[in-house]
Amino acid sequence: MSEEQKPDLKTSTNNQPPKLIVVGVGASAGGLEALQSLLSNMPTDSGMALVVAQHLSPSYKSMMTELLEKESTIPVVTAVDNAPIEPNKVYICPPNSNIEITANDRIKLLSYQDVRHTPRPSVDMLFESIAEHKNDFAIGVVLSGTGTDGSRGIRAIKGENGFGIVQDPNDAKYDGMPNSAINSGHVDLILQATEIGHELKNIIHFPRNTGIDNDGTMPRETYHGIIKQLKARCNVDFSLYKENTILRRIERRMTSLKIHHSADYLAHLQENKEEINYLFNDMLIGVTSFFRDPRAFDNLQRELTNYIQNKSNKSLRFWCVACSTGEEPYTLAIILSEILGDKIDDYKIQIFATDIDKNAISFARMAIYPESALTFIPRSIKNKYFVLNSEQYEVIKPIKSKVIFSVHDVNNDPPFLRLDLITCRNLMIYFTVELQRQLLPMFHYALNPKGLLMLGQSESIGVFQEQYRPLSKTGKIYEALFVGKQLPPERKTSRGMTLSTNNIQELKPVSISQHNRNKVDAELTQIISDALQEFVLPNAILLNENQDIIFTQGDNVLLVRPTGLPSNNIFKNLHPQLSIDLRSAFHNIHNGHKVTDTGYQSFNLNGNNVWVKLILISIEREGPLGSLTLIFSQIEQPENIPLLSPDKHELTNQAIALEQQRLLAKTKEQLQNVIEELETSNEEMQSMNEELQSSNEELQSSNEELETTNEELQSTNEELQTAYAELRMAYEERENQRIELDNLKIELEHSNTLQHEAERTAKMGSWFWDIPSRKLEWSSGCYDLFGLDKEVFHPSYEAFIGLASGNYRSSLEEQLTNLLHNKATQPFIFEALDVNRNIAIMSLEAVVSFNDLKQATKVMGTIRDITSTVMKEKEQVVYKDTINYLLNNTLTASFVLDIDKLKIEYINAAFQKMFGYSEVIISQLNKDKLFSLFSINDAIIFKNIIDKVSHSTVGECFSGQYALKMKDSNDFVSVFANHTVYELNDVTGLPAKMLVTLFAS
């Protein structure tokens, strides 16, 4: 097949449409410039859809779509919830939302009302959703930004065989996010923003299965060479991993390097040692999360609760295999804390968390995770077991202290022992059947009887049903069964470098079914009957692998019942004279003899001298009992032994010699058996040595953790000493601040009281309007003006407009709009309705704050009830108009006097005619000069009248009689006069002006 004929990412089979490739793009500070560079160089026919998660302010209206649309070669739209994703289009997440994709290629927007501690939208959440639903059709791109958002998500994309691209930190305006993603070790390409678009198209059209030959497999020697390079450099053997998984990882590296042939890649691997690290990191990608598959962990919590209740001691040892970045072991610690509650300190708890990825272990030890990692954790768990630490969440120390992390290769290193729980989830799916069948017996060996094993949802115990009993099928939780004496299982660390598993011999499944007693008896009876058909012996004893009697047939006089505690061991229940010979015979059975015997031996049995021989038959059998040993006993009288036949009266020397030779040979054979048993014991000691090595490994891991903990404690002690001094100073400062705060609080309450009283007295209130958030705040005076309840009414722009009556609503809305554009005239008078639907006249004034872009940001203003003032002004206008009409159309002389200034402000024509004065002359008569119009006595009378009027109310009238001087004459004209209030003072409400009407006497 030529390179042009090989399928690529866009190729589909069975004439189905090509699967949509989704590219997740994450950016933060400086991301706009990077996005413009990317989209301006994006091919128009890539067939991909780009979903952008750019950190945005939640309150400011974003113009991201409009700005990018000008530079982009393909359409740019704002993402809408549940909208379908189309190829060759860019989707921008709106502010204050998280964006994800669904299984059917649709947009999913998530809005949050709670307080956030990290920017939104979350790049990690976008990448994780793309990884989950698109698998190897997922691509993650991390652009300029601060922080670590995106690093976790790009790991998830790589875990599903997707592709990771990062903007070159030297090209990024802010290199925090790019460097964090690169340091995670899960990046395929590091490019400048202008190169990413072109490279995306190259990735998609680059041939897949680049290392596959025409026969559908990679050349044996090439694959063997790559695995050998990994083992030599990284000390990890991938030969027993599933080849499809390994091949996909190799293909991804070849794609990123644009290498077409596997042989060329092997050469590149040999010449560039750094590439081995990249390939190794790709192999180790692990996708995990807190409480992954919550239903499974609910089942685990239930089974653990039962297990702990039935446990005799208070020691709990867990082993989390392939823990990755630590979420799973911390989940186990949280579950234990929930189960034990306040009693947790009574237990000795050790949770061993291991992985072959050193970087993942280092990350897990820190126990610090982004907010996106805790998205699906219940709020109660998050608040109880995590603390916010510099915009990230840290596991609390009581939980952190329960977990011991160490680098460990489960395929080669000794296991941890005496365990109560092992979790190995979603690891064995990457292993061949051969390797799986090595791990499960090893887990059984490491578990305590009735210990728990938890596997992933796609994993099972396979053929090892004899060793495990399922407790929860949905949770994949199994109980380890006790099967007698346990020896370390055989471990094969590697296999031949073959590229298929077809040549692996299928192990016959060992099925266990629990039979009732009658069925077991019938089956074992049939086994003995079959053997008797061949050997025809009266007595039989059936033993298991532990040499315990499990069944007998016939009345066997050689069996005895020992004193003390009952035991079924054959050596405890058999005539002691036969023990040595029986051990020798067992040795022969263990060495592969199908049938063996002890030879005749003479001893006294029930008062009679007899010759006894035991015949042992090995029976290989499948099932829960395993291999069996069948013993037939043959008892002979002396006369039946040819050497001692009755026709011979005495033993010849030759017969005695022969008997001695037989006994000597038998003794040599027994001595040889003892030697071989010692060798076997030595092998068992070696097995015990392996256990000790495992314990040593465990102690080393504990020592590493203790050293780390010691360093942390030393650092913490120094911090505590410094913190104590700072805390003491802070306490003193806080006490001073508290006193000052109490004083300020008293002053503030006093000021608020004064303000409230002042606003109530002045019938006014103040208001504040924050434009970006559209938040409107009122003072207490505003609520009083409209008679509204603070607990019920919540001020808003719309509610404020709604308080205006009739046509004034549109006028008020127009006034507020003009305020924002600095075009308003003030004050603005409008009519409003209070809570009782009464009309009130309001005066609104405001001051507007603008930013550097001349955009309104804040409005501060006052509202004043001027209803009474307006009504008084209207009444005074009517009153004045009436008085003026009367004054100008009457024949009676009249004038108006300003009481405070003692100045005549107005005289009518009749007054001018009667006394000859003009308005100019009268206007010049100020204060004392006014009284020159009166005689001395009459001036006193007029002053008294002024005093009465100044303390009167509207409508009261005071009469008097006095004489006024004529102009240019010393003559006085006597008059009768009426005096009444003409106008009131706006501030004091007291009479300000007096109307005087004169009648000739």
Side-chain angles (χ1 to χ4, degrees):
M1 182 186 294
S2 65
E3 294 299 335
E4 290 76 8
Q5 293 172 320
K6 293 179 181 178
D8 58 34
L9 275 171
K10 295 178 69 178
T11 304
S12 60
T13 58
N14 301 325
N15 296 322
Q16 294 181 355
K19 190 172 181 180
L20 178 66
I21 299 98
V22 177
V23 181
V25 182
S28 183
L32 177 60
E33 298 176 13
L35 281 168
Q36 288 174 331
S37 300
L38 189 159
L39 296 179
S40 63
N41 292 276
M42 188 71 194
T44 58
D45 58 347
S46 66
M48 298 177 298
L50 276 70
V51 182
V52 178
Q54 162 78 48
H55 295 168
L56 297 169
S57 170
S59 59
Y60 189 73
K61 182 179 179 181
S62 172
M63 300 193 59
M64 178 72 66
T65 302
E66 292 79 0
L67 294 173
L68 292 177
E69 195 171 22
K70 298 177 182 178
E71 306 289 338
S72 178
T73 59
I74 56 178
V76 180
V77 297
T78 301
V80 178
D81 189 39
N82 203 36
I85 303 175
E86 300 176 2
N88 300 315
K89 188 173 286 188
V90 183
Y91 297 87
I92 308 295
C93 180
N96 202 30
S97 296
N98 277 329
I99 187 169
E100 297 179 355
I101 72 166
T102 63
N104 56 349
D105 292 339
R106 288 183 175 272
I107 295 291
K108 181 180 180 182
L109 294 180
L110 303 172
S111 298
Y112 296 89
Q113 301 301 326
D114 55 341
V115 178
R116 63 176 188 169
H117 301 289
T118 54
R120 289 191 183 131
S122 169
V123 180
D124 283 332
M125 291 182 64
L126 170 62
F127 284 5
E128 287 172 352
S129 71
I130 295 175
E132 178 182 359
H133 299 301
K134 303 307 294 184
N135 304 118
D136 53 352
F137 287 84
I139 299 177
V141 178
V142 178
L143 300 179
S144 171
T146 59
T148 62
D149 197 13
S151 301
R152 181 183 179 88
I154 209 165
R155 179 186 180 95
I157 288 178
K158 290 290 292 177
E160 296 296 335
N161 206 35
F163 215 87
I165 301 175
V166 170
Q167 183 182 6
D168 188 341
N170 297 322
D171 179 55
K173 190 172 183 180
Y174 296 91
D175 60 3
M177 284 173 55
N179 277 330
S180 178
I182 293 171
N183 292 336
S184 71
H186 304 112
V187 174
D188 293 295
L189 293 173
I190 302 174
L191 304 168
Q192 293 189 359
T194 55
E195 301 172 348
I196 294 176
H198 179 71
E199 196 62 36
L200 285 173
K201 188 172 183 180
N202 287 344
I203 293 171
I204 293 174
H205 292 287
F206 192 83
R208 301 189 73 191
N209 299 328
T210 53
I212 305 303
D213 290 343
N214 294 334
D215 62 353
T217 60
M218 180 181 287
R220 181 182 303 275
E221 56 277 4
T222 304
Y223 186 84
H224 174 84
I226 293 174
I227 298 300
K228 187 176 180 181
Q229 287 288 325
L230 284 170
K231 185 175 182 180
R233 182 68 180 267
C234 304
N235 198 28
V236 177
D237 185 7
F238 289 99
S239 62
L240 290 177
Y241 282 59
K242 286 184 179 178
E243 292 164 4
N244 287 338
T245 301
I246 303 300
L247 287 174
R248 284 199 301 267
R249 302 300 192 222
I250 295 173
E251 288 164 11
R252 278 303 182 194
R253 289 306 307 158
M254 294 173 65
T255 300
S256 64
L257 297 172
K258 298 186 179 64
I259 296 176
H260 290 75
H261 299 287
S262 57
D264 295 338
Y265 180 69
L266 176 58
H268 177 78
L269 202 65
Q270 293 169 340
E271 295 173 1
N272 298 272
K273 301 302 181 183
E274 191 64 28
E275 176 59 24
I276 296 178
N277 293 330
Y278 289 132
L279 180 58
F280 181 70
N281 287 332
D282 270 7
M283 300 289 189
L284 301 182
I285 293 171
V287 180
T288 183
S289 61
F290 288 100
F291 294 91
R292 189 180 186 189
D293 191 358
R295 185 172 61 174
F297 278 102
D298 288 341
N299 292 330
L300 177 64
Q301 184 167 347
R302 182 178 63 254
E303 298 300 337
L304 264 180
T305 302
N306 295 334
Y307 179 84
I308 293 172
Q309 288 175 351
N310 296 323
K311 189 173 174 61
S312 59
N313 57 47
K314 293 190 176 182
S315 173
L316 294 171
R317 290 163 59 85
F318 294 176
W319 182 16
C320 180
V321 182
C323 68
S324 189
T325 48
E327 288 89 333
E328 187 167 299
Y330 288 130
T331 299
L332 296 179
I334 290 172
I335 289 176
L336 263 185
S337 179
E338 290 292 298
I339 293 173
L340 300 176
D342 297 336
K343 298 180 180 178
I344 192 170
D345 293 333
D346 299 338
Y347 285 77
K348 180 182 179 182
I349 298 172
Q350 291 175 300
I351 301 176
F352 302 103
T354 64
D355 201 285
I356 58 176
D357 188 348
K358 296 180 181 179
N359 294 330
I361 290 294
S362 299
F363 181 90
R365 279 198 178 109
M366 293 188 294
I368 298 176
Y369 298 92
E371 186 180 28
S372 60
L374 279 67
T375 303
F376 301 107
I377 296 181
R379 184 187 298 273
S380 58
I381 296 294
K382 183 191 297 185
N383 295 339
K384 185 176 180 181
Y385 296 105
F386 294 87
V387 293
L388 190 62
N389 183 1
S390 184
E391 297 189 349
Q392 289 189 311
Y393 286 87
E394 182 176 1
V395 179
I396 61 175
K397 287 189 176 180
I399 295 299
K400 186 178 177 182
S401 63
K402 301 291 187 296
V403 185
I404 302 172
F405 290 97
S406 65
V407 178
H408 181 279
D409 186 354
V410 70
N411 298 329
N412 292 318
D413 296 332
F416 298 92
L417 301 177
R418 303 181 304 281
L419 299 171
D420 300 292
L421 169 68
I422 295 177
T423 62
C424 182
R425 308 180 72 222
N426 304 312
L427 172 65
M428 291 195 295
I429 57 176
Y430 300 108
F431 295 162
T432 62
V433 175
E434 181 181 353
L435 184 52
Q436 291 178 21
R437 290 178 177 174
Q438 291 184 31
L439 285 183
L440 288 168
M442 185 266 288
F443 289 158
H444 184 271
Y445 174 69
L447 282 168
N448 289 327
K450 296 186 179 299
L452 305 180
L453 172 66
M454 185 181 189
L455 301 179
Q457 290 301 303
S458 302
E459 300 165 333
S460 67
I461 58 172
V463 299
F464 297 98
Q465 299 176 12
E466 179 182 345
Q467 297 177 333
Y468 298 97
R469 178 173 71 91
L471 295 178
S472 171
K473 292 183 179 180
T474 57
K476 295 293 182 178
I477 301 172
Y478 302 89
E479 179 185 68
L481 298 176
F482 177 69
V483 293
K485 183 178 180 180
Q486 287 185 293
L487 294 176
E490 294 183 3
R491 301 285 296 276
K492 295 180 180 179
T493 58
S494 63
R495 65 183 175 108
M497 294 299 175
T498 57
L499 298 187
S500 66
T501 58
N502 296 332
N503 61 341
I504 298 176
Q505 293 182 352
E506 290 294 332
L507 298 179
K508 294 182 179 180
V510 182
S511 61
I512 291 182
S513 59
Q514 296 294 329
H515 300 281
N516 57 43
R517 181 75 181 181
N518 293 334
K519 290 184 178 181
V520 173
D521 290 348
E523 182 181 358
L524 299 178
T525 302
Q526 185 62 41
I527 293 171
I528 296 173
S529 299
D530 293 341
L532 285 176
Q533 290 177 5
E534 183 177 355
F535 297 99
V536 191
L537 291 171
N539 299 317
I541 305 171
L542 198 59
L543 309 180
N544 63 11
E545 290 180 342
N546 292 334
Q547 300 173 351
D548 292 331
I549 300 173
I550 62 174
F551 191 78
T552 61
Q553 183 169 325
D555 186 11
N556 198 329
V557 294
L558 299 177
L559 293 177
V560 295
R561 195 64 180 172
T563 60
L565 294 175
S567 171
N568 287 329
N569 188 271
I570 184 62
F571 294 102
K572 300 277 183 153
N573 291 272
L574 191 66
H575 196 288
Q577 196 74 22
L578 298 169
S579 295
I580 295 176
D581 290 343
L582 182 59
R583 290 187 186 275
S584 179
F586 269 128
H587 184 75
N588 292 335
I589 290 293
H590 292 158
N591 286 340
H593 291 241
K594 183 70 176 178
V595 180
T596 187
D597 63 70
T598 61
Y600 282 108
Q601 182 178 353
S602 175
F603 59 88
N604 186 278
L605 182 64
N606 297 330
N608 299 318
N609 289 326
V610 294
W611 290 80
V612 179
K613 179 173 71 172
L614 300 180
I615 301 171
L616 282 71
I617 302 173
S618 176
I619 301 175
E620 298 294 335
R621 182 179 176 277
E622 298 177 359
L625 298 177
S627 299
L628 304 176
T629 302
L630 182 60
I631 301 178
F632 291 105
S633 56
Q634 186 174 356
I635 304 174
E636 299 290 348
Q637 298 298 323
E639 58 269 19
N640 294 331
I641 302 300
L643 186 61
L644 303 175
S645 58
D647 57 346
K648 296 182 180 179
H649 302 286
E650 58 183 7
L651 293 175
T652 64
N653 292 334
Q654 183 180 1
I656 294 174
L658 290 174
E659 179 64 15
Q660 289 177 345
Q661 289 177 3
R662 186 184 72 83
L663 293 175
L664 179 60
K666 188 175 182 178
T667 302
K668 288 182 177 179
E669 181 183 354
Q670 291 176 350
L671 181 59
Q672 180 63 29
N673 291 341
V674 170
I675 293 173
E676 292 179 0
E677 288 183 358
L678 287 175
E679 292 176 351
T680 302
S681 298
N682 185 45
E683 292 177 359
E684 293 182 357
M685 292 297 293
Q686 290 178 351
S687 298
M688 292 181 63
N689 185 48
E690 290 183 6
E691 294 185 16
L692 291 175
Q693 289 179 354
S694 173
S695 299
N696 184 48
E697 178 82 15
E698 182 179 325
L699 289 174
Q700 288 178 353
S701 300
S702 300
N703 186 46
E704 291 179 8
E705 289 296 323
L706 287 174
E707 289 178 355
T708 303
T709 304
N710 184 45
E711 294 175 359
E712 292 178 355
L713 288 174
Q714 290 178 352
S715 176
T716 303
N717 185 43
E718 295 175 359
E719 292 176 2
L720 286 174
Q721 291 177 352
T722 304
Y724 176 75
E726 294 177 354
L727 185 62
R728 189 168 182 177
M729 294 177 61
Y731 177 78
E732 295 175 355
E733 182 178 353
R734 182 180 177 183
E735 185 65 21
N736 295 332
Q737 290 176 347
R738 187 188 64 79
I739 296 172
E740 184 178 353
L741 186 61
D742 289 341
N743 295 332
L744 291 174
K745 183 179 179 181
I746 295 172
E747 293 178 6
L748 180 60
E749 289 176 350
H750 182 66
S751 298
N752 288 338
T753 302
L754 291 178
Q755 180 185 359
H756 187 201
E757 289 299 321
E759 288 182 343
R760 188 177 61 81
T761 303
K763 292 186 177 182
M764 66 175 294
S766 57
W767 54 281
F768 174 79
W769 185 20
D770 184 69
I771 305 302
S773 64
R774 295 177 60 85
K775 185 177 181 181
L776 192 65
E777 296 180 2
W778 278 7
S779 69
S780 299
C782 287
Y783 290 97
D784 293 340
L785 285 179
F786 297 99
L788 298 172
D789 187 354
K790 289 183 180 180
E791 302 298 329
V792 178
F793 182 79
H794 302 287
S796 65
Y797 176 82
E798 292 77 10
F800 189 18
I801 298 298
L803 291 173
S805 64
N807 297 330
Y808 285 101
R809 293 181 181 177
S810 58
S811 301
L812 177 58
E813 186 173 5
E814 183 180 356
Q815 175 70 10
L816 294 177
T817 303
N818 291 336
L819 280 173
L820 301 183
H821 294 85
N822 203 20
K823 297 179 180 179
T825 57
Q826 301 190 66
F828 174 71
I829 310 298
F830 68 97
E831 292 184 1
L833 298 175
D834 61 14
V835 71
N836 297 319
R837 309 299 294 175
N838 296 323
I839 294 179
I841 302 173
M842 302 293 179
S843 175
L844 182 145
E845 296 184 73
V847 176
V848 186
S849 299
F850 298 89
N851 60 16
D852 296 339
L853 300 178
K854 296 184 179 180
Q855 295 172 325
T857 57
K858 297 177 182 178
V859 180
M860 292 175 287
T862 60
I863 304 175
R864 188 161 54 92
D865 187 348
I866 60 172
T867 305
S868 59
T869 303
V870 171
M871 296 303 294
K872 287 180 181 178
E873 288 179 352
K874 287 182 178 180
E875 291 175 357
Q876 288 186 7
V877 169
V878 173
Y879 182 74
K880 288 181 179 179
D881 289 346
T882 303
I883 295 299
N884 289 336
Y885 177 79
L886 293 175
L887 290 177
N888 292 325
N889 293 278
T890 184
L891 298 176
T892 303
S894 302
F895 67 90
V896 176
L897 176 70
D898 187 325
I899 296 175
D900 294 330
K901 298 179 181 179
L902 293 178
K903 176 181 177 182
I904 297 177
E905 287 189 345
Y906 173 80
I907 59 175
N908 64 354
F911 184 92
Q912 296 180 28
K913 182 177 179 181
M914 179 178 289
F915 297 102
Y917 295 102
S918 66
E919 290 185 6
V920 176
I921 296 173
I922 290 297
S923 65
Q924 295 174 354
L925 300 178
N926 295 330
K927 291 189 177 181
D928 296 338
K929 292 183 180 180
L930 171 67
F931 296 101
S932 62
L933 296 176
F934 302 92
S935 64
I936 296 175
N937 292 331
D938 289 343
I940 295 173
I941 294 172
F942 191 69
K943 286 181 179 180
N944 292 332
I945 293 174
I946 292 175
D947 184 63
K948 291 180 181 180
V949 173
S950 63
H951 292 86
S952 68
T953 58
V954 176
E956 287 190 66
C957 183
F958 299 93
S959 59
Q961 184 176 3
Y962 44 78
L964 291 175
K965 184 180 180 181
M966 296 288 293
K967 181 180 180 298
D968 298 331
S969 172
N970 291 325
D971 296 333
F972 288 84
V973 177
S974 296
V975 294
F976 291 103
N978 289 325
H979 308 81
T980 186
V981 176
Y982 178 75
E983 186 177 316
L984 298 175
N985 189 294
D986 290 337
V987 179
T988 63
L990 297 175
K993 296 179 182 179
M994 179 176 68
L995 174 65
V996 182
T997 306
L998 305 175
F999 304 94
S1001 60

